[in-house]
Amino acid sequence: MDIGTVRGIITGLLIIAFVGLVWWAYSKRRKPDFDEAANLPFADEDEQPNRDTHASREADSRDDKGDRNT
């Protein structure tokens, strides 16, 4: 068996794997799972982002007292 035959076998196996992956991804059984995954970025819209209130209070106090570095 020479290198050309080995490369041909590997190429054939990769083509079969690719076709199998595409068949799996586009099968009707997977559609509900992929639809749910597609809507995940919109799932937490009701929650407010977690802000660091300590940092914002420090910024507000610096605005009130002026910049001490000048």
Side-chain angles (χ1 to χ4, degrees), residues 5 8 13 16 18 21 25-26 33 37 40 44 46-47 50-52 56 59 68 70:
T5 305
L13 291 173
I16 291 170
F18 176 75
L21 181 67
Y26 285 101
D33 295 333
L40 280 177
D44 294 335
D46 296 340
E47 296 180 15
N50 196 6
R51 289 185 54 195
D52 185 9
S56 65
R68 295 182 182 172
T70 57

Side-chain angles (χ1 to χ4, degrees), residues 15-26:
I15 288 172
I16 291 170
F18 176 75
V19 170
L21 181 67
V22 169
W23 175 73
W24 172 80
Y26 285 101

Side-chain angles (χ1 to χ4, degrees), residues 19-63:
V19 170
L21 181 67
V22 169
W23 175 73
W24 172 80
Y26 285 101
S27 68
K28 292 188 187 274
R29 286 187 350 187
R30 302 296 302 168
K31 184 164 177 37
D33 295 333
F34 287 132
D35 287 341
E36 181 182 347
N39 289 323
L40 280 177
F42 307 111
D44 294 335
E45 267 187 37
D46 296 340
E47 296 180 15
Q48 294 293 329
N50 196 6
R51 289 185 54 195
D52 185 9
T53 56
H54 180 70
S56 65
R57 279 184 281 174
E58 285 181 6
D60 291 341
S61 65
R62 273 187 270 133
D63 290 340

